[in-house]
Amino acid sequence: MDRSSGVLLHIATLPGKYGIGQLGESSRKFVDFLSLSGQSYWQVLPLVPTGYGDSPYQSVCSYAGSEYFIDLDTLSAAGLLTAGELNDCTTPPDSRINYEWLYRTRFGVLRRAFSRFDRSDAAFAAFLKKGEYADYALFRAVKDFCGGRPWNEWPDELRFRDEAALSVFAAEHAEDLLFWQWAQYEFDRQWTGLRDYAHSKGIRIIGDMPIYLAYDSVECWKNPGMVKLDASLTPVVVAGCPPDAFCDTGQLWGNPVYDWERMKADGYAWWKQRLRKCFLLFDVVRIDHFRGFDRYYEIPYGEPTAVNGKWMPGPSAELFEEIEKDMGRIEVIAEDLGDLDDSARAMFARVGYPGMKVLQFAFGSGPDNEYLPHNYRDSNCVVYTGTHDNDTLMGFINGLGGERARLSDAVSEELTACGLSMPLGTDEELCDAIIELAFASKAECAMLPMQDWLKIGGEGRINMPSTLSPDNWSYRIPATYTDGDAGRRMSALASEYGRRQ
């Protein structure tokens, strides 16, 4: 990645008039902003259709693009939507995302656009011939037919994928299947245009890949043998994290866990296919919960908490060595947060991918904290002020109350250790100092959430893990994000610390 910097911003978070960030003009405007501000990377969150709790980490498909991101103005310019239909989709540009409203209204609008699309288009015909989204289209069509219920609640002939029944269904719902494939064609076309535009402006894209699949996903329905399910296709065990100092009952994520022995038997073919797809979309891929490849925590299905789980061995570095035999060296950011045992640390050293350093975890536990910049052993890491699961930096600072003075003292000590000096009297100055520590560090890349550059408070938090808060995944940055001094400060720090593209 060389010495560089970038901005973390979920596509959904962009402002715009159609209820959620999209792949058209608002995305290009953000690329222009990054380029003018001396940045090298735009890190996005998963682009996939949102599932349970509106989370892109619980998707019905790991390889499809969210239909919500399809730019409606682009469809209108192609003559597929009328001005009146666009007006019906309009919301205030920086209003919070209302996923229920999107679910009820957006697919109808897209179906109207599809009804006007020229199906004889040669590029569309070539797209269909590849068949990449045929399973996804069938899954979505059946799911709609079954009232949106998860696949384990479908009629047996559909749940168990009876070929005759599915063939009859596909013939009777051919229009629906074609719609879902067209939507992916349009997403792919728009994403490719945006990625190419970013490259033309010197901006590379970092994607995000969750390690686990949702149970209610096309992959688990189509290939149930890849995860640990019983004969009735019910999970045997599910994923999570054990109890720790933050939660005495652990975290029960509920995702099915992979059957690694079966995956190894076919040379990890599914993983190779998954990574190939990722690198068609992105220049670099951050892989979430990377330590789960070494050992993962599984909990018997039906347990109310994660207390009664156990650690199980994963493929460790062997998986990525097999992948790189086929693909060559890949650019990965390996999420390595939390307590790591010796085995996990050995895997990270063996694969050699840069890990993550989060500055919100750096202060308050003494001078030996591994997230403090002066303790970075080398540059093979990416430093963040926070991630999508953290509060914003200003929200973090504002929420300290009486502990703020301790943070200020710890930041002051770190500034001294790094040969820096800055005022820390106000919350804004403390925020600026932490940002500067990220840029001054030896980390290969400094990656900051856009909310931290804008000094947005806790209202800008993207996600509160292990909750179903209505505020999760709904925040959007203000349409005025280019009007303040965020871009100027980005540019100045990138230049000062040798991170400018």
Side-chain angles (χ1 to χ4, degrees):
M1 296 178 75
D2 299 321
R3 187 163 175 82
S4 56
S5 60
V7 174
L8 169 61
L9 184 75
H10 190 22
I11 293 276
T13 309
L14 285 166
K17 56 187 176 182
Y18 299 124
I20 193 169
Q22 299 196 321
L23 299 177
E25 186 58 34
S26 62
S27 288
R28 283 172 167 75
K29 180 180 178 181
F30 188 67
V31 167
D32 291 340
F33 172 76
L34 294 178
S35 182
L36 291 170
S37 302
Q39 301 303 292
S40 302
Y41 291 96
W42 178 4
Q43 181 175 329
V44 299
L45 298 186
L47 304 179
V48 294
T50 49
Y52 181 66
D54 305 318
S55 170
Y57 294 88
Q58 292 282 352
S59 176
V60 296
C61 185
S62 69
Y63 58 87
S66 172
E67 292 83 6
Y68 295 154
F69 294 161
I70 294 173
D71 184 60
L72 300 185
D73 285 330
T74 300
L75 298 181
S76 178
L80 303 182
L81 291 175
T82 67
E85 288 163 346
L86 292 181
N87 286 337
D88 291 341
C89 299
T90 300
T91 65
D94 52 3
S95 61
R96 282 193 173 266
I97 301 166
N98 183 333
Y99 285 97
E100 181 182 358
W101 175 77
L102 285 170
Y103 183 78
R104 286 189 289 102
T105 63
R106 189 54 47 88
F107 296 114
V109 172
L110 293 174
R111 285 181 186 274
R112 285 197 290 277
F114 173 59
S115 72
R116 297 165 185 147
F117 176 73
D118 179 6
R119 302 178 190 194
S120 67
D121 180 87
F124 182 53
F127 181 86
L128 291 177
K129 187 175 182 179
K130 291 192 297 183
E132 185 177 358
Y133 296 95
D135 290 338
Y136 172 72
L138 180 59
F139 182 87
R140 291 300 298 256
V142 176
K143 194 173 183 64
D144 281 352
F145 176 76
C146 295
R149 296 195 304 275
W151 66 265
N152 61 310
E153 297 179 11
W154 295 352
D156 282 354
E157 66 274 15
L158 300 176
R159 179 162 64 101
F160 287 96
R161 304 174 323 284
D162 178 85
E163 290 301 324
L166 287 175
S167 293
V168 170
F169 180 92
E172 293 176 347
H173 298 83
E175 185 73 4
D176 280 345
L177 270 64
L178 202 59
F179 162 72
W180 288 109
Q181 292 192 78
W182 168 81
Q184 289 305 304
Y185 165 76
E186 188 61 31
F187 176 93
D188 186 72
R189 194 178 68 82
Q190 291 191 12
W191 173 257
T192 299
L194 175 60
R195 185 199 60 209
D196 291 348
Y197 182 78
H199 288 171
S200 75
K201 297 290 183 175
I203 303 299
R204 303 179 78 213
I205 306 291
I206 301 174
D208 193 300
M209 190 183 84
I211 183 175
Y212 288 122
L213 302 168
Y215 176 55
D216 185 26
S217 65
V218 62
E219 290 90 349
C220 290
W221 172 67
K222 180 69 176 179
N223 300 298
M226 67 190 292
V227 290
K228 294 182 179 180
L229 307 182
D230 63 20
S232 68
L233 303 184
T234 300
V236 177
V237 287
V238 293
C241 278
D244 57 22
F246 299 101
C247 182
D248 57 10
T249 59
Q251 296 181 38
L252 182 63
W253 300 337
N255 307 75
V257 298
Y258 298 111
D259 188 329
W260 286 114
E261 289 302 315
R262 287 192 181 188
M263 289 185 154
K264 181 177 181 178
D266 71 0
Y268 303 108
W270 181 81
W271 279 96
K272 291 175 182 177
Q273 180 183 24
R274 189 182 189 191
L275 267 296
R276 285 192 198 100
K277 173 66 174 179
C278 281
F279 283 99
L280 287 174
L281 298 173
F282 311 115
D283 301 296
V284 183
V285 177
R286 188 198 82 108
I287 301 180
D288 195 47
H289 193 59
F290 199 96
R291 68 90 32 87
F293 292 111
D294 180 62
R295 290 199 306 152
Y296 62 93
Y297 192 73
E298 65 177 28
I299 304 140
Y301 180 70
E303 286 285 324
T305 71
V307 169
N308 293 320
K310 61 181 180 180
W311 288 102
M312 297 290 290
S316 197
E318 175 189 300
L319 170 62
F320 292 90
E321 290 167 353
E322 287 296 316
I323 287 169
E324 292 192 349
K325 285 179 184 177
D326 282 6
M327 297 179 60
R329 186 64 174 173
I330 55 178
E331 288 195 73
V332 165
I333 299 171
E335 191 263 286
D336 58 347
L337 305 175
D339 292 331
L340 302 178
D341 57 20
D342 290 343
S343 178
R345 290 186 184 278
M347 175 191 66
F348 283 108
R350 189 168 156 189
V351 297
Y353 302 138
M356 296 172 59
K357 305 293 186 184
V358 177
L359 292 183
Q360 284 194 36
F361 302 154
F363 306 102
S365 59
D368 296 329
N369 186 307
E370 66 179 291
Y371 297 119
L372 287 170
H374 82 265
N375 287 329
Y376 301 171
R377 288 177 295 178
D378 54 44
S379 64
N380 192 37
C381 59
V382 180
V383 60
Y384 294 77
T385 47
T387 75
H388 64 275
D389 281 336
N390 292 108
D391 202 345
T392 66
L393 189 51
M394 282 298 291
F396 169 70
I397 294 168
N398 295 157
L400 288 174
E403 295 296 306
R404 185 201 180 281
R406 291 180 62 184
L407 174 65
S408 182
D409 289 345
V411 171
S412 179
E413 290 173 5
E414 185 61 17
L415 287 168
T416 299
C418 295
L420 301 172
S421 177
M422 296 180 66
L424 302 175
T426 68
D427 288 353
E428 288 77 11
E429 289 172 340
L430 191 51
C431 180
D432 283 338
I434 294 172
I435 288 173
E436 186 137 355
L437 282 170
F439 271 74
S441 76
K442 66 174 66 170
E444 197 168 57
C445 183
M447 186 66 58
L448 275 64
M450 188 62 193
Q451 292 93 315
D452 291 353
W453 284 112
L454 298 175
K455 297 187 174 68
I456 301 292
E459 71 277 10
R461 182 169 190 162
I462 293 295
N463 181 47
M464 177 76 76
S466 301
T467 71
L468 289 176
S469 166
D471 288 340
N472 283 353
W473 309 108
S474 67
Y475 178 75
R476 301 175 74 190
I477 62 172
T480 56
Y481 69 88
T482 61
D483 295 348
D485 69 348
R488 178 200 58 77
R489 183 152 172 74
M490 284 183 196
S491 181
L493 288 178
S495 294
E496 182 174 357
Y497 293 107
R499 299 185 180 276
R500 193 171 183 87
Q501 57 173 308

mmCIF file with all atom_site columns, all heavy atoms in Angstrom, residues 460-480:
data_model
loop_
_atom_site.group_PDB
_atom_site.id
_atom_site.type_symbol
_atom_site.label_atom_id
_atom_site.label_alt_id
_atom_site.label_comp_id
_atom_site.label_asym_id
_atom_site.label_entity_id
_atom_site.label_seq_id
_atom_site.pdbx_PDB_ins_code
_atom_site.Cartn_x
_atom_site.Cartn_y
_atom_site.Cartn_z
_atom_site.occupancy
_atom_site.B_iso_or_equiv
_atom_site.pdbx_formal_charge
_atom_site.auth_seq_id
_atom_site.auth_comp_id
_atom_site.auth_asym_id
_atom_site.auth_atom_id
_atom_site.pdbx_PDB_model_num
ATOM 1   N N   . GLY A 1 460 ? -23.399 10.121 14.763 1.00 0.00 ? 460 GLY A N   1
ATOM 2   C CA  . GLY A 1 460 ? -22.843 9.610  13.519 1.00 0.00 ? 460 GLY A CA  1
ATOM 3   C C   . GLY A 1 460 ? -22.337 8.180  13.601 1.00 0.00 ? 460 GLY A C   1
ATOM 4   O O   . GLY A 1 460 ? -21.783 7.671  12.636 1.00 0.00 ? 460 GLY A O   1
ATOM 5   N N   . ARG A 1 461 ? -22.552 7.539  14.750 1.00 0.00 ? 461 ARG A N   1
ATOM 6   C CA  . ARG A 1 461 ? -22.095 6.147  14.882 1.00 0.00 ? 461 ARG A CA  1
ATOM 7   C C   . ARG A 1 461 ? -22.852 5.259  13.891 1.00 0.00 ? 461 ARG A C   1
ATOM 8   O O   . ARG A 1 461 ? -24.066 5.374  13.731 1.00 0.00 ? 461 ARG A O   1
ATOM 9   C CB  . ARG A 1 461 ? -22.315 5.651  16.306 1.00 0.00 ? 461 ARG A CB  1
ATOM 10  C CG  . ARG A 1 461 ? -21.810 4.236  16.528 1.00 0.00 ? 461 ARG A CG  1
ATOM 11  C CD  . ARG A 1 461 ? -21.794 3.836  17.989 1.00 0.00 ? 461 ARG A CD  1
ATOM 12  N NE  . ARG A 1 461 ? -21.094 2.564  18.147 1.00 0.00 ? 461 ARG A NE  1
ATOM 13  C CZ  . ARG A 1 461 ? -20.604 2.120  19.304 1.00 0.00 ? 461 ARG A CZ  1
ATOM 14  N NH1 . ARG A 1 461 ? -20.733 2.857  20.395 1.00 0.00 ? 461 ARG A NH1 1
ATOM 15  N NH2 . ARG A 1 461 ? -19.989 0.960  19.357 1.00 0.00 ? 461 ARG A NH2 1
ATOM 16  N N   . ILE A 1 462 ? -22.134 4.363  13.236 1.00 0.00 ? 462 ILE A N   1
ATOM 17  C CA  . ILE A 1 462 ? -22.739 3.498  12.222 1.00 0.00 ? 462 ILE A CA  1
ATOM 18  C C   . ILE A 1 462 ? -23.407 2.282  12.846 1.00 0.00 ? 462 ILE A C   1
ATOM 19  O O   . ILE A 1 462 ? -24.520 1.908  12.468 1.00 0.00 ? 462 ILE A O   1
ATOM 20  C CB  . ILE A 1 462 ? -21.676 3.038  11.204 1.00 0.00 ? 462 ILE A CB  1
ATOM 21  C CG1 . ILE A 1 462 ? -21.186 4.228  10.378 1.00 0.00 ? 462 ILE A CG1 1
ATOM 22  C CG2 . ILE A 1 462 ? -22.235 1.961  10.274 1.00 0.00 ? 462 ILE A CG2 1
ATOM 23  C CD1 . ILE A 1 462 ? -22.244 4.840  9.497  1.00 0.00 ? 462 ILE A CD1 1
ATOM 24  N N   . ASN A 1 463 ? -22.757 1.662  13.824 1.00 0.00 ? 463 ASN A N   1
ATOM 25  C CA  . ASN A 1 463 ? -23.285 0.406  14.351 1.00 0.00 ? 463 ASN A CA  1
ATOM 26  C C   . ASN A 1 463 ? -22.911 0.227  15.811 1.00 0.00 ? 463 ASN A C   1
ATOM 27  O O   . ASN A 1 463 ? -21.802 0.548  16.228 1.00 0.00 ? 463 ASN A O   1
ATOM 28  C CB  . ASN A 1 463 ? -22.725 -0.784 13.546 1.00 0.00 ? 463 ASN A CB  1
ATOM 29  C CG  . ASN A 1 463 ? -23.258 -2.116 14.023 1.00 0.00 ? 463 ASN A CG  1
ATOM 30  O OD1 . ASN A 1 463 ? -24.460 -2.266 14.218 1.00 0.00 ? 463 ASN A OD1 1
ATOM 31  N ND2 . ASN A 1 463 ? -22.385 -3.083 14.217 1.00 0.00 ? 463 ASN A ND2 1
ATOM 32  N N   . MET A 1 464 ? -23.857 -0.279 16.580 1.00 0.00 ? 464 MET A N   1
ATOM 33  C CA  . MET A 1 464 ? -23.604 -0.707 17.951 1.00 0.00 ? 464 MET A CA  1
ATOM 34  C C   . MET A 1 464 ? -23.675 -2.229 17.946 1.00 0.00 ? 464 MET A C   1
ATOM 35  O O   . MET A 1 464 ? -24.765 -2.803 17.833 1.00 0.00 ? 464 MET A O   1
ATOM 36  C CB  . MET A 1 464 ? -24.650 -0.137 18.908 1.00 0.00 ? 464 MET A CB  1
ATOM 37  C CG  . MET A 1 464 ? -24.509 -0.599 20.341 1.00 0.00 ? 464 MET A CG  1
ATOM 38  S SD  . MET A 1 464 ? -23.178 0.209  21.242 1.00 0.00 ? 464 MET A SD  1
ATOM 39  C CE  . MET A 1 464 ? -23.925 1.809  21.545 1.00 0.00 ? 464 MET A CE  1
ATOM 40  N N   . PRO A 1 465 ? -22.520 -2.921 18.007 1.00 0.00 ? 465 PRO A N   1
ATOM 41  C CA  . PRO A 1 465 ? -22.522 -4.385 17.863 1.00 0.00 ? 465 PRO A CA  1
ATOM 42  C C   . PRO A 1 465 ? -23.443 -5.080 18.863 1.00 0.00 ? 465 PRO A C   1
ATOM 43  O O   . PRO A 1 465 ? -23.638 -4.609 19.994 1.00 0.00 ? 465 PRO A O   1
ATOM 44  C CB  . PRO A 1 465 ? -21.055 -4.754 18.115 1.00 0.00 ? 465 PRO A CB  1
ATOM 45  C CG  . PRO A 1 465 ? -20.286 -3.530 17.781 1.00 0.00 ? 465 PRO A CG  1
ATOM 46  C CD  . PRO A 1 465 ? -21.165 -2.388 18.193 1.00 0.00 ? 465 PRO A CD  1
ATOM 47  N N   . SER A 1 466 ? -24.008 -6.188 18.411 1.00 0.00 ? 466 SER A N   1
ATOM 48  C CA  . SER A 1 466 ? -24.863 -7.052 19.244 1.00 0.00 ? 466 SER A CA  1
ATOM 49  C C   . SER A 1 466 ? -26.135 -6.355 19.717 1.00 0.00 ? 466 SER A C   1
ATOM 50  O O   . SER A 1 466 ? -26.693 -6.707 20.749 1.00 0.00 ? 466 SER A O   1
ATOM 51  C CB  . SER A 1 466 ? -24.067 -7.583 20.453 1.00 0.00 ? 466 SER A CB  1
ATOM 52  O OG  . SER A 1 466 ? -22.944 -8.313 20.026 1.00 0.00 ? 466 SER A OG  1
ATOM 53  N N   . THR A 1 467 ? -26.571 -5.340 18.969 1.00 0.00 ? 467 THR A N   1
ATOM 54  C CA  . THR A 1 467 ? -27.840 -4.686 19.270 1.00 0.00 ? 467 THR A CA  1
ATOM 55  C C   . THR A 1 467 ? -28.657 -4.583 17.989 1.00 0.00 ? 467 THR A C   1
ATOM 56  O O   . THR A 1 467 ? -28.132 -4.687 16.882 1.00 0.00 ? 467 THR A O   1
ATOM 57  C CB  . THR A 1 467 ? -27.642 -3.267 19.834 1.00 0.00 ? 467 THR A CB  1
ATOM 58  O OG1 . THR A 1 467 ? -27.189 -2.391 18.786 1.00 0.00 ? 467 THR A OG1 1
ATOM 59  C CG2 . THR A 1 467 ? -26.645 -3.251 20.975 1.00 0.00 ? 467 THR A CG2 1
ATOM 60  N N   . LEU A 1 468 ? -29.960 -4.376 18.157 1.00 0.00 ? 468 LEU A N   1
ATOM 61  C CA  . LEU A 1 468 ? -30.849 -4.137 17.020 1.00 0.00 ? 468 LEU A CA  1
ATOM 62  C C   . LEU A 1 468 ? -31.401 -2.720 17.097 1.00 0.00 ? 468 LEU A C   1
ATOM 63  O O   . LEU A 1 468 ? -32.573 -2.472 16.825 1.00 0.00 ? 468 LEU A O   1
ATOM 64  C CB  . LEU A 1 468 ? -31.989 -5.167 17.013 1.00 0.00 ? 468 LEU A CB  1
ATOM 65  C CG  . LEU A 1 468 ? -31.584 -6.593 16.657 1.00 0.00 ? 468 LEU A CG  1
ATOM 66  C CD1 . LEU A 1 468 ? -32.783 -7.534 16.782 1.00 0.00 ? 468 LEU A CD1 1
ATOM 67  C CD2 . LEU A 1 468 ? -31.015 -6.661 15.244 1.00 0.00 ? 468 LEU A CD2 1
ATOM 68  N N   . SER A 1 469 ? -30.538 -1.789 17.452 1.00 0.00 ? 469 SER A N   1
ATOM 69  C CA  . SER A 1 469 ? -30.946 -0.392 17.557 1.00 0.00 ? 469 SER A CA  1
ATOM 70  C C   . SER A 1 469 ? -31.442 0.126  16.210 1.00 0.00 ? 469 SER A C   1
ATOM 71  O O   . SER A 1 469 ? -30.838 -0.153 15.171 1.00 0.00 ? 469 SER A O   1
ATOM 72  C CB  . SER A 1 469 ? -29.754 0.463  18.018 1.00 0.00 ? 469 SER A CB  1
ATOM 73  O OG  . SER A 1 469 ? -30.028 1.840  17.831 1.00 0.00 ? 469 SER A OG  1
ATOM 74  N N   . PRO A 1 470 ? -32.554 0.906  16.202 1.00 0.00 ? 470 PRO A N   1
ATOM 75  C CA  . PRO A 1 470 ? -33.022 1.485  14.937 1.00 0.00 ? 470 PRO A CA  1
ATOM 76  C C   . PRO A 1 470 ? -32.035 2.473  14.335 1.00 0.00 ? 470 PRO A C   1
ATOM 77  O O   . PRO A 1 470 ? -32.136 2.816  13.158 1.00 0.00 ? 470 PRO A O   1
ATOM 78  C CB  . PRO A 1 470 ? -34.336 2.181  15.334 1.00 0.00 ? 470 PRO A CB  1
ATOM 79  C CG  . PRO A 1 470 ? -34.224 2.410  16.813 1.00 0.00 ? 470 PRO A CG  1
ATOM 80  C CD  . PRO A 1 470 ? -33.430 1.261  17.342 1.00 0.00 ? 470 PRO A CD  1
ATOM 81  N N   . ASP A 1 471 ? -31.058 2.924  15.136 1.00 0.00 ? 471 ASP A N   1
ATOM 82  C CA  . ASP A 1 471 ? -30.038 3.848  14.621 1.00 0.00 ? 471 ASP A CA  1
ATOM 83  C C   . ASP A 1 471 ? -28.915 3.126  13.893 1.00 0.00 ? 471 ASP A C   1
ATOM 84  O O   . ASP A 1 471 ? -28.141 3.761  13.169 1.00 0.00 ? 471 ASP A O   1
ATOM 85  C CB  . ASP A 1 471 ? -29.450 4.684  15.762 1.00 0.00 ? 471 ASP A CB  1
ATOM 86  C CG  . ASP A 1 471 ? -30.424 5.728  16.271 1.00 0.00 ? 471 ASP A CG  1
ATOM 87  O OD1 . ASP A 1 471 ? -31.372 6.078  15.537 1.00 0.00 ? 471 ASP A OD1 1
ATOM 88  O OD2 . ASP A 1 471 ? -30.248 6.194  17.410 1.00 0.00 ? 471 ASP A OD2 1
ATOM 89  N N   . ASN A 1 472 ? -28.787 1.805  14.088 1.00 0.00 ? 472 ASN A N   1
ATOM 90  C CA  . ASN A 1 472 ? -27.720 1.068  13.411 1.00 0.00 ? 472 ASN A CA  1
ATOM 91  C C   . ASN A 1 472 ? -27.875 1.159  11.900 1.00 0.00 ? 472 ASN A C   1
ATOM 92  O O   . ASN A 1 472 ? -28.971 1.009  11.363 1.00 0.00 ? 472 ASN A O   1
ATOM 93  C CB  . ASN A 1 472 ? -27.735 -0.399 13.816 1.00 0.00 ? 472 ASN A CB  1
ATOM 94  C CG  . ASN A 1 472 ? -27.145 -0.638 15.191 1.00 0.00 ? 472 ASN A CG  1
ATOM 95  O OD1 . ASN A 1 472 ? -26.599 0.278  15.805 1.00 0.00 ? 472 ASN A OD1 1
ATOM 96  N ND2 . ASN A 1 472 ? -27.255 -1.857 15.684 1.00 0.00 ? 472 ASN A ND2 1
ATOM 97  N N   . TRP A 1 473 ? -26.777 1.442  11.223 1.00 0.00 ? 473 TRP A N   1
ATOM 98  C CA  . TRP A 1 473 ? -26.677 1.435  9.763  1.00 0.00 ? 473 TRP A CA  1
ATOM 99  C C   . TRP A 1 473 ? -27.503 2.518  9.079  1.00 0.00 ? 473 TRP A C   1
ATOM 100 O O   . TRP A 1 473 ? -27.656 2.505  7.860  1.00 0.00 ? 473 TRP A O   1
ATOM 101 C CB  . TRP A 1 473 ? -27.073 0.057  9.184  1.00 0.00 ? 473 TRP A CB  1
ATOM 102 C CG  . TRP A 1 473 ? -26.340 -1.053 9.844  1.00 0.00 ? 473 TRP A CG  1
ATOM 103 C CD1 . TRP A 1 473 ? -26.843 -1.964 10.719 1.00 0.00 ? 473 TRP A CD1 1
ATOM 104 C CD2 . TRP A 1 473 ? -24.935 -1.357 9.727  1.00 0.00 ? 473 TRP A CD2 1
ATOM 105 N NE1 . TRP A 1 473 ? -25.851 -2.822 11.151 1.00 0.00 ? 473 TRP A NE1 1
ATOM 106 C CE2 . TRP A 1 473 ? -24.682 -2.470 10.556 1.00 0.00 ? 473 TRP A CE2 1
ATOM 107 C CE3 . TRP A 1 473 ? -23.889 -0.789 8.988  1.00 0.00 ? 473 TRP A CE3 1
ATOM 108 C CZ2 . TRP A 1 473 ? -23.417 -3.030 10.681 1.00 0.00 ? 473 TRP A CZ2 1
ATOM 109 C CZ3 . TRP A 1 473 ? -22.633 -1.350 9.114  1.00 0.00 ? 473 TRP A CZ3 1
ATOM 110 C CH2 . TRP A 1 473 ? -22.407 -2.451 9.953  1.00 0.00 ? 473 TRP A CH2 1
ATOM 111 N N   . SER A 1 474 ? -28.013 3.483  9.838  1.00 0.00 ? 474 SER A N   1
ATOM 112 C CA  . SER A 1 474 ? -28.935 4.452  9.241  1.00 0.00 ? 474 SER A CA  1
ATOM 113 C C   . SER A 1 474 ? -28.342 5.849  9.061  1.00 0.00 ? 474 SER A C   1
ATOM 114 O O   . SER A 1 474 ? -28.946 6.693  8.408  1.00 0.00 ? 474 SER A O   1
ATOM 115 C CB  . SER A 1 474 ? -30.208 4.563  10.083 1.00 0.00 ? 474 SER A CB  1
ATOM 116 O OG  . SER A 1 474 ? -29.941 5.133  11.355 1.00 0.00 ? 474 SER A OG  1
ATOM 117 N N   . TYR A 1 475 ? -27.167 6.123  9.625  1.00 0.00 ? 475 TYR A N   1
ATOM 118 C CA  . TYR A 1 475 ? -26.607 7.479  9.565  1.00 0.00 ? 475 TYR A CA  1
ATOM 119 C C   . TYR A 1 475 ? -26.157 7.830  8.149  1.00 0.00 ? 475 TYR A C   1
ATOM 120 O O   . TYR A 1 475 ? -25.664 6.984  7.407  1.00 0.00 ? 475 TYR A O   1
ATOM 121 C CB  . TYR A 1 475 ? -25.419 7.609  10.528 1.00 0.00 ? 475 TYR A CB  1
ATOM 122 C CG  . TYR A 1 475 ? -24.782 8.975  10.466 1.00 0.00 ? 475 TYR A CG  1
ATOM 123 C CD1 . TYR A 1 475 ? -25.406 10.073 11.049 1.00 0.00 ? 475 TYR A CD1 1
ATOM 124 C CD2 . TYR A 1 475 ? -23.589 9.184  9.775  1.00 0.00 ? 475 TYR A CD2 1
ATOM 125 C CE1 . TYR A 1 475 ? -24.844 11.339 10.962 1.00 0.00 ? 475 TYR A CE1 1
ATOM 126 C CE2 . TYR A 1 475 ? -23.020 10.449 9.687  1.00 0.00 ? 475 TYR A CE2 1
ATOM 127 C CZ  . TYR A 1 475 ? -23.664 11.520 10.277 1.00 0.00 ? 475 TYR A CZ  1
ATOM 128 O OH  . TYR A 1 475 ? -23.112 12.774 10.176 1.00 0.00 ? 475 TYR A OH  1
ATOM 129 N N   . ARG A 1 476 ? -26.303 9.129  7.809  1.00 0.00 ? 476 ARG A N   1
ATOM 130 C CA  . ARG A 1 476 ? -25.777 9.651  6.540  1.00 0.00 ? 476 ARG A CA  1
ATOM 131 C C   . ARG A 1 476 ? -25.043 10.957 6.823  1.00 0.00 ? 476 ARG A C   1
ATOM 132 O O   . ARG A 1 476 ? -25.495 11.776 7.636  1.00 0.00 ? 476 ARG A O   1
ATOM 133 C CB  . ARG A 1 476 ? -26.906 9.894  5.540  1.00 0.00 ? 476 ARG A CB  1
ATOM 134 C CG  . ARG A 1 476 ? -27.690 8.635  5.229  1.00 0.00 ? 476 ARG A CG  1
ATOM 135 C CD  . ARG A 1 476 ? -28.868 8.921  4.335  1.00 0.00 ? 476 ARG A CD  1
ATOM 136 N NE  . ARG A 1 476 ? -28.436 9.171  2.964  1.00 0.00 ? 476 ARG A NE  1
ATOM 137 C CZ  . ARG A 1 476 ? -29.251 9.629  2.014  1.00 0.00 ? 476 ARG A CZ  1
ATOM 138 N NH1 . ARG A 1 476 ? -30.508 9.939  2.290  1.00 0.00 ? 476 ARG A NH1 1
ATOM 139 N NH2 . ARG A 1 476 ? -28.805 9.798  0.781  1.00 0.00 ? 476 ARG A NH2 1
ATOM 140 N N   . ILE A 1 477 ? -23.894 11.149 6.176  1.00 0.00 ? 477 ILE A N   1
ATOM 141 C CA  . ILE A 1 477 ? -23.127 12.371 6.400  1.00 0.00 ? 477 ILE A CA  1
ATOM 142 C C   . ILE A 1 477 ? -23.871 13.562 5.796  1.00 0.00 ? 477 ILE A C   1
ATOM 143 O O   . ILE A 1 477 ? -24.656 13.403 4.852  1.00 0.00 ? 477 ILE A O   1
ATOM 144 C CB  . ILE A 1 477 ? -21.703 12.267 5.824  1.00 0.00 ? 477 ILE A CB  1
ATOM 145 C CG1 . ILE A 1 477 ? -21.720 12.075 4.306  1.00 0.00 ? 477 ILE A CG1 1
ATOM 146 C CG2 . ILE A 1 477 ? -20.925 11.161 6.507  1.00 0.00 ? 477 ILE A CG2 1
ATOM 147 C CD1 . ILE A 1 477 ? -20.347 12.166 3.666  1.00 0.00 ? 477 ILE A CD1 1
ATOM 148 N N   . PRO A 1 478 ? -23.638 14.754 6.312  1.00 0.00 ? 478 PRO A N   1
ATOM 149 C CA  . PRO A 1 478 ? -24.331 15.930 5.775  1.00 0.00 ? 478 PRO A CA  1
ATOM 150 C C   . PRO A 1 478 ? -23.893 16.249 4.354  1.00 0.00 ? 478 PRO A C   1
ATOM 151 O O   . PRO A 1 478 ? -22.735 16.018 3.969  1.00 0.00 ? 478 PRO A O   1
ATOM 152 C CB  . PRO A 1 478 ? -23.941 17.044 6.746  1.00 0.00 ? 478 PRO A CB  1
ATOM 153 C CG  . PRO A 1 478 ? -22.676 16.586 7.384  1.00 0.00 ? 478 PRO A CG  1
ATOM 154 C CD  . PRO A 1 478 ? -22.776 15.095 7.461  1.00 0.00 ? 478 PRO A CD  1
ATOM 155 N N   . ALA A 1 479 ? -24.823 16.793 3.575  1.00 0.00 ? 479 ALA A N   1
ATOM 156 C CA  . ALA A 1 479 ? -24.522 17.151 2.185  1.00 0.00 ? 479 ALA A CA  1
ATOM 157 C C   . ALA A 1 479 ? -23.476 18.258 2.101  1.00 0.00 ? 479 ALA A C   1
ATOM 158 O O   . ALA A 1 479 ? -22.871 18.474 1.049  1.00 0.00 ? 479 ALA A O   1
ATOM 159 C CB  . ALA A 1 479 ? -25.810 17.579 1.482  1.00 0.00 ? 479 ALA A CB  1
ATOM 160 N N   . THR A 1 480 ? -23.246 18.948 3.221  1.00 0.00 ? 480 THR A N   1
ATOM 161 C CA  . THR A 1 480 ? -22.278 20.057 3.266  1.00 0.00 ? 480 THR A CA  1
ATOM 162 C C   . THR A 1 480 ? -20.870 19.590 3.645  1.00 0.00 ? 480 THR A C   1
ATOM 163 O O   . THR A 1 480 ? -20.033 20.418 4.033  1.00 0.00 ? 480 THR A O   1
ATOM 164 C CB  . THR A 1 480 ? -22.750 21.105 4.286  1.00 0.00 ? 480 THR A CB  1
ATOM 165 O OG1 . THR A 1 480 ? -22.939 20.459 5.564  1.00 0.00 ? 480 THR A OG1 1
ATOM 166 C CG2 . THR A 1 480 ? -24.074 21.735 3.859  1.00 0.00 ? 480 THR A CG2 1
#
